[in-house]
Amino acid sequence: MDIKYFSWIREGIGTDEEQVKIPAGVTTISDLLDHLSTLSDGHAQALKERVFVRVAVNQTHVNHDHAVKDTDEVAIFPPVTGG
Amino acid sequence: MVSVSVQKEDFDIGAEVAALKADNFGVGAIVTFSGTVRDMGGTLTSMTLEHYPGMTEAELMRISEDAEARWPLLGTRIIHRHGTLAPGDNIVLVIALSAHRQAAFEAAAFLMDFLKSRAPFWKKETTEDGADWVDAKETDDAAMNRWQR
């Protein structure tokens, strides 16, 4: 799965994009965040406060209970601050 | 007609309004909003805007089409800059055109409220003390939610 990171989540994880092999049993965004948090201390810290973790699937905002599949483009970022 | 641009370059508000008015003689009301970089009492040296190329444009188009579905508009235009900006620089421009003022005023406010809470931009402020990401404001979500019906 192709995962993009932005803003302080990108800085905490240390990369703006990575390919992650998704284990069986990961079916929702919430499952995915749990799995990503096991990859490194940086991932765990950046994704710890779930209320500040926003997700887009295929460039559309989704909730954490949204389903994900391996071919999705997933982006993970803090609440937006444009304008 | 809705139109969005996400760009590093500055924009010219007068030129944008003139282009939208050209050959659009049904227009009787044009509301423009522009947002600029504040100097935070002289402490801010620069502001850097990161965004999500592809989704940013898609989200701004979705917001614009929502506005067109809600009000009798004769066009909208959104320009949002990214990259590193200085105090006083333009950040964002929203223009709404309609036959009458009420639709144009309301649509411009709607576009900005949704842009603030939905468009994937992140601001980082640099001062003499270092650089920090700007926190999202709960009041921005409240401003968006007032349009729910």
Side-chain angles (χ1 to χ4, degrees):
Chain A
M1 181 182 284
D2 180 33
I3 306 182
K4 297 174 189 293
Y5 303 107
F6 293 95
S7 184
W8 52 259
I9 290 181
R10 168 179 59 74
E11 291 181 344
I13 287 172
T15 183
D16 61 357
E17 192 165 4
E18 62 183 343
Q19 290 288 327
V20 176
K21 195 165 160 25
I22 301 305
V26 170
T27 60
T28 67
I29 292 296
S30 193
D31 298 337
L32 176 64
L33 295 172
D34 289 343
H35 173 65
L36 294 173
S37 296
T38 67
L39 297 181
S40 76
D41 286 349
H43 285 79
Q45 276 300 318
L47 303 175
K48 191 173 156 196
E49 297 286 343
R50 292 292 162 87
V51 67
F52 297 122
V53 176
R54 303 295 162 87
V55 180
V57 171
N58 301 324
Q59 306 192 348
T60 302
H61 291 287
V62 297
N63 293 323
H64 288 190
D65 59 1
H66 192 273
V68 281
K69 54 184 187 302
D70 210 41
T71 52
D72 285 333
E73 175 183 314
V74 175
I76 302 176
F77 44 79
V80 303
T81 55
Chain B
M1 239 285 285
V2 303
S3 167
V4 308
S5 301
V6 180
Q7 63 189 44
K8 273 192 146 90
E9 300 73 34
D10 196 10
F11 49 78
D12 178 333
I13 299 171
E16 294 295 332
V17 170
L20 290 165
K21 272 175 73 180
D23 301 322
N24 205 348
F25 297 115
V27 173
I30 302 166
V31 170
T32 70
F33 171 86
S34 61
T36 60
V37 180
R38 282 177 292 134
D39 75 352
M40 314 288 283
T43 61
L44 187 104
T45 52
S46 69
M47 171 179 282
T48 300
L49 278 135
E50 180 173 333
H51 78 115
Y52 179 0
M55 180 173 170
T56 312
E57 292 83 352
E59 195 62 35
L60 294 177
M61 284 300 289
R62 284 191 281 267
I63 295 165
S64 300
E65 284 159 6
D66 285 352
E68 281 228 314
R70 290 175 73 130
W71 288 279
L73 300 176
L74 295 168
T76 65
R77 176 93 173 106
I78 300 177
I79 304 177
H80 203 301
R81 297 180 70 191
H82 63 94
T84 299
L85 305 175
D89 281 355
N90 291 317
I91 305 173
V92 61
L93 176 65
V94 162
I95 308 177
L97 299 90
S98 188
H100 302 288
R101 71 184 182 285
Q102 190 182 356
F105 273 127
E106 290 181 4
F110 172 95
L111 289 168
M112 272 311 298
D113 286 345
F114 273 75
L115 182 157
K116 293 284 284 188
S117 288
R118 308 280 298 181
F121 288 98
W122 300 273
K123 285 176 181 153
K124 192 177 206 176
E125 293 173 342
T126 301
T127 66
E128 285 177 7
D129 298 331
D132 257 319
W133 294 98
V134 173
D135 288 331
K137 294 191 189 77
E138 283 179 23
T139 50
D140 286 338
D141 277 342
M144 180 178 75
N145 291 336
R146 75 192 165 111
W147 297 100
Q148 275 178 4
R149 60 180 184 192

